[in-house]
PDB file of all heavy atoms in Angstrom:
ATOM      1  N   ILE A   1      -0.205 -25.865  -3.214  1.00  0.00           N
ATOM      2  CA  ILE A   1      -1.426 -26.640  -3.015  1.00  0.00           C
ATOM      3  C   ILE A   1      -2.652 -25.910  -3.542  1.00  0.00           C
ATOM      4  O   ILE A   1      -3.628 -26.524  -3.956  1.00  0.00           O
ATOM      5  CB  ILE A   1      -1.568 -26.990  -1.522  1.00  0.00           C
ATOM      6  CG1 ILE A   1      -0.484 -27.997  -1.150  1.00  0.00           C
ATOM      7  CG2 ILE A   1      -2.947 -27.548  -1.196  1.00  0.00           C
ATOM      8  CD1 ILE A   1      -0.499 -28.467   0.260  1.00  0.00           C
ATOM      9  N   LEU A   2      -2.585 -24.598  -3.547  1.00  0.00           N
ATOM     10  CA  LEU A   2      -3.735 -23.795  -3.981  1.00  0.00           C
ATOM     11  C   LEU A   2      -3.219 -22.551  -4.685  1.00  0.00           C
ATOM     12  O   LEU A   2      -2.252 -21.939  -4.223  1.00  0.00           O
ATOM     13  CB  LEU A   2      -4.570 -23.390  -2.761  1.00  0.00           C
ATOM     14  CG  LEU A   2      -5.977 -22.848  -3.014  1.00  0.00           C
ATOM     15  CD1 LEU A   2      -6.883 -23.965  -3.526  1.00  0.00           C
ATOM     16  CD2 LEU A   2      -6.547 -22.272  -1.718  1.00  0.00           C
ATOM     17  N   GLY A   3      -3.830 -22.207  -5.815  1.00  0.00           N
ATOM     18  CA  GLY A   3      -3.480 -20.964  -6.488  1.00  0.00           C
ATOM     19  C   GLY A   3      -2.723 -21.152  -7.782  1.00  0.00           C
ATOM     20  O   GLY A   3      -2.699 -22.236  -8.358  1.00  0.00           O
ATOM     21  N   SER A   4      -2.070 -20.076  -8.231  1.00  0.00           N
ATOM     22  CA  SER A   4      -1.369 -20.058  -9.513  1.00  0.00           C
ATOM     23  C   SER A   4       0.089 -19.669  -9.322  1.00  0.00           C
ATOM     24  O   SER A   4       0.397 -18.722  -8.588  1.00  0.00           O
ATOM     25  CB  SER A   4      -2.031 -19.058 -10.467  1.00  0.00           C
ATOM     26  OG  SER A   4      -1.231 -18.833 -11.604  1.00  0.00           O
ATOM     27  N   SER A   5       0.964 -20.385 -10.001  1.00  0.00           N
ATOM     28  CA  SER A   5       2.391 -20.056  -9.930  1.00  0.00           C
ATOM     29  C   SER A   5       2.688 -18.712 -10.598  1.00  0.00           C
ATOM     30  O   SER A   5       3.720 -18.093 -10.341  1.00  0.00           O
ATOM     31  CB  SER A   5       3.222 -21.153 -10.605  1.00  0.00           C
ATOM     32  OG  SER A   5       2.885 -21.260 -11.977  1.00  0.00           O
ATOM     33  N   ARG A   6       1.762 -18.239 -11.442  1.00  0.00           N
ATOM     34  CA  ARG A   6       1.964 -16.974 -12.153  1.00  0.00           C
ATOM     35  C   ARG A   6       1.437 -15.764 -11.381  1.00  0.00           C
ATOM     36  O   ARG A   6       1.602 -14.625 -11.817  1.00  0.00           O
ATOM     37  CB  ARG A   6       1.284 -17.037 -13.516  1.00  0.00           C
ATOM     38  CG  ARG A   6       1.829 -18.129 -14.423  1.00  0.00           C
ATOM     39  CD  ARG A   6       1.172 -18.107 -15.782  1.00  0.00           C
ATOM     40  NE  ARG A   6      -0.262 -18.339 -15.693  1.00  0.00           N
ATOM     41  CZ  ARG A   6      -0.828 -19.540 -15.618  1.00  0.00           C
ATOM     42  NH1 ARG A   6      -0.064 -20.624 -15.609  1.00  0.00           N
ATOM     43  NH2 ARG A   6      -2.144 -19.682 -15.550  1.00  0.00           N
ATOM     44  N   GLN A   7       0.815 -16.011 -10.237  1.00  0.00           N
ATOM     45  CA  GLN A   7       0.233 -14.922  -9.459  1.00  0.00           C
ATOM     46  C   GLN A   7       1.312 -13.951  -8.967  1.00  0.00           C
ATOM     47  O   GLN A   7       2.350 -14.352  -8.454  1.00  0.00           O
ATOM     48  CB  GLN A   7      -0.521 -15.486  -8.247  1.00  0.00           C
ATOM     49  CG  GLN A   7      -1.161 -14.429  -7.367  1.00  0.00           C
ATOM     50  CD  GLN A   7      -1.881 -15.046  -6.184  1.00  0.00           C
ATOM     51  OE1 GLN A   7      -1.895 -16.264  -6.027  1.00  0.00           O
ATOM     52  NE2 GLN A   7      -2.485 -14.218  -5.346  1.00  0.00           N
ATOM     53  N   VAL A   8       1.071 -12.649  -9.113  1.00  0.00           N
ATOM     54  CA  VAL A   8       1.967 -11.632  -8.575  1.00  0.00           C
ATOM     55  C   VAL A   8       1.777 -11.569  -7.065  1.00  0.00           C
ATOM     56  O   VAL A   8       0.653 -11.539  -6.562  1.00  0.00           O
ATOM     57  CB  VAL A   8       1.683 -10.254  -9.205  1.00  0.00           C
ATOM     58  CG1 VAL A   8       2.530  -9.172  -8.528  1.00  0.00           C
ATOM     59  CG2 VAL A   8       1.964 -10.284 -10.698  1.00  0.00           C
ATOM     60  N   VAL A   9       2.884 -11.569  -6.329  1.00  0.00           N
ATOM     61  CA  VAL A   9       2.839 -11.606  -4.864  1.00  0.00           C
ATOM     62  C   VAL A   9       3.450 -10.330  -4.287  1.00  0.00           C
ATOM     63  O   VAL A   9       4.587  -9.973  -4.596  1.00  0.00           O
ATOM     64  CB  VAL A   9       3.598 -12.838  -4.319  1.00  0.00           C
ATOM     65  CG1 VAL A   9       3.653 -12.801  -2.790  1.00  0.00           C
ATOM     66  CG2 VAL A   9       2.931 -14.126  -4.792  1.00  0.00           C
ATOM     67  N   GLU A  10       2.679  -9.676  -3.453  1.00  0.00           N
ATOM     68  CA  GLU A  10       3.160  -8.487  -2.748  1.00  0.00           C
ATOM     69  C   GLU A  10       3.175  -8.688  -1.236  1.00  0.00           C
ATOM     70  O   GLU A  10       3.943  -8.052  -0.532  1.00  0.00           O
ATOM     71  CB  GLU A  10       2.297  -7.276  -3.099  1.00  0.00           C
ATOM     72  CG  GLU A  10       2.390  -6.867  -4.574  1.00  0.00           C
ATOM     73  CD  GLU A  10       1.532  -5.665  -4.901  1.00  0.00           C
ATOM     74  OE1 GLU A  10       0.733  -5.249  -4.026  1.00  0.00           O
ATOM     75  OE2 GLU A  10       1.652  -5.136  -6.021  1.00  0.00           O
ATOM     76  N   LYS A  11       2.305  -9.592  -0.737  1.00  0.00           N
ATOM     77  CA  LYS A  11       2.228  -9.852   0.695  1.00  0.00           C
ATOM     78  C   LYS A  11       2.195 -11.360   0.953  1.00  0.00           C
ATOM     79  O   LYS A  11       1.431 -12.084   0.316  1.00  0.00           O
ATOM     80  CB  LYS A  11       0.987  -9.207   1.308  1.00  0.00           C
ATOM     81  CG  LYS A  11       1.012  -7.675   1.307  1.00  0.00           C
ATOM     82  CD  LYS A  11      -0.232  -7.126   2.009  1.00  0.00           C
ATOM     83  CE  LYS A  11      -0.208  -5.609   2.067  1.00  0.00           C
ATOM     84  NZ  LYS A  11      -1.408  -5.074   2.776  1.00  0.00           N
ATOM     85  N   VAL A  12       3.015 -11.781   1.913  1.00  0.00           N
ATOM     86  CA  VAL A  12       3.110 -13.204   2.268  1.00  0.00           C
ATOM     87  C   VAL A  12       2.830 -13.359   3.754  1.00  0.00           C
ATOM     88  O   VAL A  12       3.321 -12.577   4.581  1.00  0.00           O
ATOM     89  CB  VAL A  12       4.506 -13.771   1.947  1.00  0.00           C
ATOM     90  CG1 VAL A  12       4.620 -15.231   2.394  1.00  0.00           C
ATOM     91  CG2 VAL A  12       4.807 -13.642   0.459  1.00  0.00           C
ATOM     92  N   LEU A  13       2.063 -14.381   4.100  1.00  0.00           N
ATOM     93  CA  LEU A  13       1.785 -14.722   5.494  1.00  0.00           C
ATOM     94  C   LEU A  13       2.349 -16.115   5.762  1.00  0.00           C
ATOM     95  O   LEU A  13       2.073 -17.056   5.009  1.00  0.00           O
ATOM     96  CB  LEU A  13       0.282 -14.713   5.757  1.00  0.00           C
ATOM     97  CG  LEU A  13      -0.168 -14.904   7.209  1.00  0.00           C
ATOM     98  CD1 LEU A  13       0.228 -13.698   8.057  1.00  0.00           C
ATOM     99  CD2 LEU A  13      -1.682 -15.138   7.283  1.00  0.00           C
ATOM    100  N   VAL A  14       3.131 -16.257   6.827  1.00  0.00           N
ATOM    101  CA  VAL A  14       3.756 -17.535   7.164  1.00  0.00           C
ATOM    102  C   VAL A  14       3.092 -18.092   8.421  1.00  0.00           C
ATOM    103  O   VAL A  14       2.872 -17.365   9.399  1.00  0.00           O
ATOM    104  CB  VAL A  14       5.271 -17.381   7.386  1.00  0.00           C
ATOM    105  CG1 VAL A  14       5.908 -18.744   7.670  1.00  0.00           C
ATOM    106  CG2 VAL A  14       5.930 -16.729   6.174  1.00  0.00           C
ATOM    107  N   CYS A  15       2.777 -19.385   8.395  1.00  0.00           N
ATOM    108  CA  CYS A  15       2.085 -20.000   9.531  1.00  0.00           C
ATOM    109  C   CYS A  15       2.454 -21.473   9.647  1.00  0.00           C
ATOM    110  O   CYS A  15       3.088 -22.041   8.752  1.00  0.00           O
ATOM    111  CB  CYS A  15       0.575 -19.856   9.384  1.00  0.00           C
ATOM    112  SG  CYS A  15      -0.090 -20.706   7.934  1.00  0.00           S
ATOM    113  N   LEU A  16       2.025 -22.068  10.743  1.00  0.00           N
ATOM    114  CA  LEU A  16       2.189 -23.504  10.927  1.00  0.00           C
ATOM    115  C   LEU A  16       1.031 -24.247  10.270  1.00  0.00           C
ATOM    116  O   LEU A  16       1.223 -25.222   9.554  1.00  0.00           O
ATOM    117  CB  LEU A  16       2.251 -23.821  12.421  1.00  0.00           C
ATOM    118  CG  LEU A  16       2.873 -25.149  12.843  1.00  0.00           C
ATOM    119  CD1 LEU A  16       4.311 -25.237  12.388  1.00  0.00           C
ATOM    120  CD2 LEU A  16       2.779 -25.308  14.359  1.00  0.00           C
ATOM    121  N   ASP A  17      -0.197 -23.746  10.502  1.00  0.00           N
ATOM    122  CA  ASP A  17      -1.400 -24.383   9.973  1.00  0.00           C
ATOM    123  C   ASP A  17      -2.312 -23.340   9.348  1.00  0.00           C
ATOM    124  O   ASP A  17      -2.475 -22.237   9.885  1.00  0.00           O
ATOM    125  CB  ASP A  17      -2.177 -25.087  11.094  1.00  0.00           C
ATOM    126  CG  ASP A  17      -1.391 -26.204  11.735  1.00  0.00           C
ATOM    127  OD1 ASP A  17      -1.406 -27.319  11.184  1.00  0.00           O
ATOM    128  OD2 ASP A  17      -0.752 -25.958  12.773  1.00  0.00           O
ATOM    129  N   VAL A  18      -2.953 -23.704   8.228  1.00  0.00           N
ATOM    130  CA  VAL A  18      -3.938 -22.820   7.602  1.00  0.00           C
ATOM    131  C   VAL A  18      -5.298 -23.135   8.218  1.00  0.00           C
ATOM    132  O   VAL A  18      -6.022 -24.019   7.761  1.00  0.00           O
ATOM    133  CB  VAL A  18      -3.971 -22.998   6.072  1.00  0.00           C
ATOM    134  CG1 VAL A  18      -4.909 -21.964   5.455  1.00  0.00           C
ATOM    135  CG2 VAL A  18      -2.578 -22.851   5.483  1.00  0.00           C
ATOM    136  N   THR A  19      -5.632 -22.416   9.273  1.00  0.00           N
ATOM    137  CA  THR A  19      -6.913 -22.576   9.936  1.00  0.00           C
ATOM    138  C   THR A  19      -7.874 -21.508   9.427  1.00  0.00           C
ATOM    139  O   THR A  19      -7.490 -20.614   8.665  1.00  0.00           O
ATOM    140  CB  THR A  19      -6.756 -22.431  11.456  1.00  0.00           C
ATOM    141  OG1 THR A  19      -6.262 -21.103  11.727  1.00  0.00           O
ATOM    142  CG2 THR A  19      -5.774 -23.447  12.004  1.00  0.00           C
ATOM    143  N   ASP A  20      -9.119 -21.588   9.895  1.00  0.00           N
ATOM    144  CA  ASP A  20     -10.113 -20.588   9.509  1.00  0.00           C
ATOM    145  C   ASP A  20      -9.685 -19.197   9.972  1.00  0.00           C
ATOM    146  O   ASP A  20      -9.838 -18.210   9.244  1.00  0.00           O
ATOM    147  CB  ASP A  20     -11.471 -20.954  10.108  1.00  0.00           C
ATOM    148  CG  ASP A  20     -12.587 -20.036   9.631  1.00  0.00           C
ATOM    149  OD1 ASP A  20     -12.799 -19.959   8.409  1.00  0.00           O
ATOM    150  OD2 ASP A  20     -13.223 -19.384  10.475  1.00  0.00           O
ATOM    151  N   LYS A  21      -9.122 -19.105  11.184  1.00  0.00           N
ATOM    152  CA  LYS A  21      -8.673 -17.811  11.691  1.00  0.00           C
ATOM    153  C   LYS A  21      -7.514 -17.257  10.869  1.00  0.00           C
ATOM    154  O   LYS A  21      -7.449 -16.053  10.601  1.00  0.00           O
ATOM    155  CB  LYS A  21      -8.252 -17.936  13.159  1.00  0.00           C
ATOM    156  CG  LYS A  21      -9.400 -18.100  14.127  1.00  0.00           C
ATOM    157  CD  LYS A  21      -8.898 -18.124  15.561  1.00  0.00           C
ATOM    158  CE  LYS A  21     -10.048 -18.229  16.547  1.00  0.00           C
ATOM    159  NZ  LYS A  21      -9.561 -18.249  17.957  1.00  0.00           N
ATOM    160  N   VAL A  22      -6.595 -18.132  10.468  1.00  0.00           N
ATOM    161  CA  VAL A  22      -5.463 -17.694   9.642  1.00  0.00           C
ATOM    162  C   VAL A  22      -5.962 -17.233   8.269  1.00  0.00           C
ATOM    163  O   VAL A  22      -5.481 -16.232   7.727  1.00  0.00           O
ATOM    164  CB  VAL A  22      -4.423 -18.826   9.501  1.00  0.00           C
ATOM    165  CG1 VAL A  22      -3.363 -18.466   8.464  1.00  0.00           C
ATOM    166  CG2 VAL A  22      -3.767 -19.104  10.851  1.00  0.00           C
ATOM    167  N   ALA A  23      -6.926 -17.958   7.705  1.00  0.00           N
ATOM    168  CA  ALA A  23      -7.487 -17.569   6.411  1.00  0.00           C
ATOM    169  C   ALA A  23      -8.150 -16.196   6.491  1.00  0.00           C
ATOM    170  O   ALA A  23      -7.976 -15.350   5.602  1.00  0.00           O
ATOM    171  CB  ALA A  23      -8.485 -18.620   5.929  1.00  0.00           C
ATOM    172  N   GLU A  24      -8.904 -15.950   7.558  1.00  0.00           N
ATOM    173  CA  GLU A  24      -9.556 -14.647   7.730  1.00  0.00           C
ATOM    174  C   GLU A  24      -8.513 -13.543   7.915  1.00  0.00           C
ATOM    175  O   GLU A  24      -8.678 -12.418   7.431  1.00  0.00           O
ATOM    176  CB  GLU A  24     -10.506 -14.683   8.927  1.00  0.00           C
ATOM    177  CG  GLU A  24     -11.779 -15.476   8.677  1.00  0.00           C
ATOM    178  CD  GLU A  24     -12.618 -14.891   7.553  1.00  0.00           C
ATOM    179  OE1 GLU A  24     -12.533 -13.671   7.300  1.00  0.00           O
ATOM    180  OE2 GLU A  24     -13.356 -15.663   6.901  1.00  0.00           O
ATOM    181  N   GLU A  25      -7.449 -13.870   8.630  1.00  0.00           N
ATOM    182  CA  GLU A  25      -6.340 -12.925   8.800  1.00  0.00           C
ATOM    183  C   GLU A  25      -5.733 -12.575   7.453  1.00  0.00           C
ATOM    184  O   GLU A  25      -5.426 -11.409   7.163  1.00  0.00           O
ATOM    185  CB  GLU A  25      -5.284 -13.544   9.718  1.00  0.00           C
ATOM    186  CG  GLU A  25      -4.052 -12.685   9.954  1.00  0.00           C
ATOM    187  CD  GLU A  25      -2.991 -13.409  10.756  1.00  0.00           C
ATOM    188  OE1 GLU A  25      -3.044 -14.664  10.826  1.00  0.00           O
ATOM    189  OE2 GLU A  25      -2.109 -12.740  11.313  1.00  0.00           O
ATOM    190  N   ALA A  26      -5.564 -13.589   6.600  1.00  0.00           N
ATOM    191  CA  ALA A  26      -5.000 -13.364   5.266  1.00  0.00           C
ATOM    192  C   ALA A  26      -5.916 -12.490   4.418  1.00  0.00           C
ATOM    193  O   ALA A  26      -5.458 -11.578   3.721  1.00  0.00           O
ATOM    194  CB  ALA A  26      -4.754 -14.706   4.579  1.00  0.00           C
ATOM    195  N   VAL A  27      -7.204 -12.757   4.479  1.00  0.00           N
ATOM    196  CA  VAL A  27      -8.169 -11.963   3.713  1.00  0.00           C
ATOM    197  C   VAL A  27      -8.161 -10.513   4.191  1.00  0.00           C
ATOM    198  O   VAL A  27      -8.117  -9.563   3.384  1.00  0.00           O
ATOM    199  CB  VAL A  27      -9.588 -12.563   3.839  1.00  0.00           C
ATOM    200  CG1 VAL A  27     -10.619 -11.624   3.208  1.00  0.00           C
ATOM    201  CG2 VAL A  27      -9.642 -13.940   3.180  1.00  0.00           C
ATOM    202  N   SER A  28      -8.179 -10.321   5.502  1.00  0.00           N
ATOM    203  CA  SER A  28      -8.227  -8.970   6.083  1.00  0.00           C
ATOM    204  C   SER A  28      -6.987  -8.148   5.742  1.00  0.00           C
ATOM    205  O   SER A  28      -7.061  -6.919   5.630  1.00  0.00           O
ATOM    206  CB  SER A  28      -8.378  -9.052   7.606  1.00  0.00           C
ATOM    207  OG  SER A  28      -9.579  -9.702   7.962  1.00  0.00           O
ATOM    208  N   ASN A  29      -5.851  -8.813   5.583  1.00  0.00           N
ATOM    209  CA  ASN A  29      -4.591  -8.103   5.347  1.00  0.00           C
ATOM    210  C   ASN A  29      -4.159  -8.102   3.884  1.00  0.00           C
ATOM    211  O   ASN A  29      -3.042  -7.705   3.569  1.00  0.00           O
ATOM    212  CB  ASN A  29      -3.484  -8.702   6.213  1.00  0.00           C
ATOM    213  CG  ASN A  29      -3.663  -8.385   7.687  1.00  0.00           C
ATOM    214  OD1 ASN A  29      -3.375  -7.284   8.135  1.00  0.00           O
ATOM    215  ND2 ASN A  29      -4.163  -9.355   8.446  1.00  0.00           N
ATOM    216  N   GLY A  30      -5.049  -8.544   2.998  1.00  0.00           N
ATOM    217  CA  GLY A  30      -4.731  -8.517   1.572  1.00  0.00           C
ATOM    218  C   GLY A  30      -3.564  -9.401   1.184  1.00  0.00           C
ATOM    219  O   GLY A  30      -2.775  -9.066   0.295  1.00  0.00           O
ATOM    220  N   ILE A  31      -3.455 -10.560   1.824  1.00  0.00           N
ATOM    221  CA  ILE A  31      -2.350 -11.491   1.571  1.00  0.00           C
ATOM    222  C   ILE A  31      -2.535 -12.169   0.213  1.00  0.00           C
ATOM    223  O   ILE A  31      -3.641 -12.546  -0.165  1.00  0.00           O
ATOM    224  CB  ILE A  31      -2.271 -12.549   2.690  1.00  0.00           C
ATOM    225  CG1 ILE A  31      -1.974 -11.894   4.041  1.00  0.00           C
ATOM    226  CG2 ILE A  31      -1.246 -13.631   2.352  1.00  0.00           C
ATOM    227  CD1 ILE A  31      -0.646 -11.192   4.127  1.00  0.00           C
ATOM    228  N   ASP A  32      -1.423 -12.316  -0.513  1.00  0.00           N
ATOM    229  CA  ASP A  32      -1.447 -13.002  -1.807  1.00  0.00           C
ATOM    230  C   ASP A  32      -1.038 -14.462  -1.692  1.00  0.00           C
ATOM    231  O   ASP A  32      -1.516 -15.312  -2.451  1.00  0.00           O
ATOM    232  CB  ASP A  32      -0.499 -12.304  -2.792  1.00  0.00           C
ATOM    233  CG  ASP A  32      -0.822 -10.829  -2.956  1.00  0.00           C
ATOM    234  OD1 ASP A  32      -1.949 -10.529  -3.382  1.00  0.00           O
ATOM    235  OD2 ASP A  32       0.045  -9.988  -2.646  1.00  0.00           O
ATOM    236  N   LEU A  33      -0.129 -14.755  -0.743  1.00  0.00           N
ATOM    237  CA  LEU A  33       0.409 -16.114  -0.611  1.00  0.00           C
ATOM    238  C   LEU A  33       0.570 -16.467   0.856  1.00  0.00           C
ATOM    239  O   LEU A  33       1.168 -15.707   1.627  1.00  0.00           O
ATOM    240  CB  LEU A  33       1.764 -16.223  -1.314  1.00  0.00           C
ATOM    241  CG  LEU A  33       2.556 -17.524  -1.120  1.00  0.00           C
ATOM    242  CD1 LEU A  33       1.833 -18.708  -1.736  1.00  0.00           C
ATOM    243  CD2 LEU A  33       3.963 -17.387  -1.701  1.00  0.00           C
ATOM    244  N   ILE A  34       0.025 -17.628   1.230  1.00  0.00           N
ATOM    245  CA  ILE A  34       0.255 -18.192   2.558  1.00  0.00           C
ATOM    246  C   ILE A  34       1.303 -19.296   2.427  1.00  0.00           C
ATOM    247  O   ILE A  34       1.179 -20.177   1.574  1.00  0.00           O
ATOM    248  CB  ILE A  34      -1.025 -18.783   3.164  1.00  0.00           C
ATOM    249  CG1 ILE A  34      -2.068 -17.684   3.400  1.00  0.00           C
ATOM    250  CG2 ILE A  34      -0.718 -19.499   4.475  1.00  0.00           C
ATOM    251  CD1 ILE A  34      -3.420 -18.226   3.872  1.00  0.00           C
ATOM    252  N   VAL A  35       2.332 -19.238   3.255  1.00  0.00           N
ATOM    253  CA  VAL A  35       3.332 -20.307   3.326  1.00  0.00           C
ATOM    254  C   VAL A  35       3.121 -21.028   4.648  1.00  0.00           C
ATOM    255  O   VAL A  35       3.277 -20.442   5.724  1.00  0.00           O
ATOM    256  CB  VAL A  35       4.767 -19.745   3.244  1.00  0.00           C
ATOM    257  CG1 VAL A  35       5.786 -20.868   3.449  1.00  0.00           C
ATOM    258  CG2 VAL A  35       5.004 -19.061   1.906  1.00  0.00           C
ATOM    259  N   SER A  36       2.722 -22.290   4.577  1.00  0.00           N
ATOM    260  CA  SER A  36       2.440 -23.067   5.790  1.00  0.00           C
ATOM    261  C   SER A  36       3.376 -24.261   5.891  1.00  0.00           C
ATOM    262  O   SER A  36       3.951 -24.706   4.897  1.00  0.00           O
ATOM    263  CB  SER A  36       0.989 -23.551   5.788  1.00  0.00           C
ATOM    264  OG  SER A  36       0.808 -24.606   4.856  1.00  0.00           O
ATOM    265  N   HIS A  37       3.493 -24.759   7.122  1.00  0.00           N
ATOM    266  CA  HIS A  37       4.257 -25.992   7.324  1.00  0.00           C
ATOM    267  C   HIS A  37       3.370 -27.208   7.067  1.00  0.00           C
ATOM    268  O   HIS A  37       3.667 -28.038   6.218  1.00  0.00           O
ATOM    269  CB  HIS A  37       4.832 -26.036   8.735  1.00  0.00           C
ATOM    270  CG  HIS A  37       5.546 -27.310   9.057  1.00  0.00           C
ATOM    271  ND1 HIS A  37       6.482 -27.873   8.211  1.00  0.00           N
ATOM    272  CD2 HIS A  37       5.461 -28.153  10.129  1.00  0.00           C
ATOM    273  CE1 HIS A  37       6.948 -28.995   8.747  1.00  0.00           C
ATOM    274  NE2 HIS A  37       6.333 -29.185   9.906  1.00  0.00           N
ATOM    275  N   HIS A  38       2.264 -27.297   7.756  1.00  0.00           N
ATOM    276  CA  HIS A  38       1.354 -28.425   7.556  1.00  0.00           C
ATOM    277  C   HIS A  38       0.501 -28.190   6.308  1.00  0.00           C
ATOM    278  O   HIS A  38       0.003 -27.081   6.099  1.00  0.00           O
ATOM    279  CB  HIS A  38       0.461 -28.613   8.786  1.00  0.00           C
ATOM    280  CG  HIS A  38       1.225 -28.986  10.012  1.00  0.00           C
ATOM    281  ND1 HIS A  38       1.077 -28.343  11.229  1.00  0.00           N
ATOM    282  CD2 HIS A  38       2.183 -29.930  10.214  1.00  0.00           C
ATOM    283  CE1 HIS A  38       1.890 -28.890  12.114  1.00  0.00           C
ATOM    284  NE2 HIS A  38       2.569 -29.851  11.522  1.00  0.00           N
TER     285      HIS A  38
END
């Protein structure tokens, strides 16, 4: 839904929903890809 298929991924965060708190968590932890259900 967002980003590039060519992006190199070193860190993945898995969640149910991409909320503001989850996004901040991803930024703080240097996440490259979020995998969500919703």
Side-chain angles (χ1 to χ4, degrees):
I1 291 181
L2 195 69
S4 169
S5 62
R6 299 183 299 277
Q7 180 180 0
V8 174
V9 175
E10 295 180 351
K11 293 183 178 181
V12 177
L13 186 68
V14 183
C15 63
L16 200 60
D17 297 276
V18 186
T19 61
D20 186 58
K21 287 184 178 180
V22 171
E24 287 298 333
E25 178 186 19
V27 172
S28 299
N29 289 283
I31 297 297
D32 304 300
L33 172 65
I34 296 174
V35 175
S36 73
H37 176 48
H38 296 130

